[in-house]
Amino acid sequence: QKGRKKFGKRGDKAAIKEFDQLHHRNCFTPIDLSKLTPLEKKKAQAAMMLLSEKTDGTVKGRCVYEGSKTRPYCTKEETASPTAATESIFITATIDAHEERDVMTADIPNAFIQASLEKLEDGDEKVVMKVTGMLVDLLVKVAPDVYGPYVVYENGRKVLYLQVLKALY
């Protein structure tokens, strides 16, 4: 909500663009609420849309899975995103400079969401994300036929449950 107040329609456009990318990369699929076990519904974590302004003035949306509340269910190792330590980057850069190596950096669009989650066997628990409020409207805008039929109301608020199929932030 804070990002929406700050960026207005530009924030909505950024959020829709992010949802569109996630949708087209098959990062999640809607779930019929009746198909969730009570435990899966309880463990469903909220989707959050973080918005930031880039140096060129465009607004970037980043849909994240609110994983902090998974602590009672998962170990830190299961939920961590492995990244290189800053010290490691500086050490290798120093070695590369000393050895006069050519170095290149590359950006892989949506690199993080390229990783599929392990295929579930019968009886395995799904990773479930709960989209609420105006985020439901923005996601339904991306693919009304796909998500619209799965929208439910809980305590008067729109809710959409999604099975997460790929790694999310």
Side-chain angles (χ1 to χ4, degrees):
Q1 292 294 354
K2 204 183 331 179
R4 196 164 198 219
K5 281 181 186 173
K6 183 175 180 177
F7 299 115
K9 294 214 180 291
R10 292 188 315 142
D12 285 355
K13 277 179 65 176
I16 290 170
K17 183 177 177 183
E18 173 73 357
F19 274 141
D20 187 62
Q21 289 177 355
L22 296 174
H23 168 74
H24 283 97
R25 293 198 184 271
N26 300 313
C27 291
F28 41 64
T29 188
I31 303 175
D32 183 338
L33 185 58
S34 66
K35 304 268 191 272
L36 287 176
T37 67
L39 184 60
E40 287 171 334
K41 187 177 174 190
K42 180 182 176 185
K43 285 185 175 183
Q45 299 302 309
M48 298 187 307
M49 185 63 70
L50 305 178
L51 300 174
S52 59
E53 190 168 19
K54 296 165 70 172
T55 55
D56 66 1
T58 59
V59 178
K60 172 74 178 156
R62 178 72 65 218
C63 180
V64 299
Y65 179 85
E66 167 59 280
S68 66
K69 296 184 176 90
T70 61
R71 299 284 184 254
Y73 312 113
C74 302
T75 66
K76 191 173 182 178
E77 291 76 22
E78 290 174 309
T79 60
S81 302
T83 57
T86 304
E87 295 84 6
S88 302
I89 301 296
F90 282 118
I91 289 169
T92 58
T94 302
I95 293 167
D96 292 339
H98 179 74
E99 294 179 355
E100 297 181 8
R101 294 179 179 221
D102 290 329
V103 177
M104 182 185 100
T105 61
D107 180 27
I108 301 169
N110 305 113
F112 200 84
I113 60 171
Q114 303 294 337
S116 296
L117 298 181
E118 292 178 19
K119 191 162 174 83
L120 296 178
E121 303 294 328
D122 284 342
D124 284 352
E125 208 173 293
K126 300 173 198 70
V127 176
V128 180
M129 183 167 66
K130 182 178 180 178
V131 181
T132 58
M134 62 96 179
L135 288 180
V136 173
D137 295 332
L138 297 177
L139 184 54
V140 169
K141 236 183 217 186
V142 168
D145 296 343
V146 175
Y147 302 107
Y150 295 92
V151 175
V152 295
Y153 287 85
E154 291 180 353
N155 300 322
R157 192 167 187 193
K158 287 182 184 179
V159 177
L160 180 60
Y161 288 91
L162 304 171
Q163 180 179 347
V164 178
L165 304 174
K166 300 221 177 153
L168 290 178
Y169 298 97

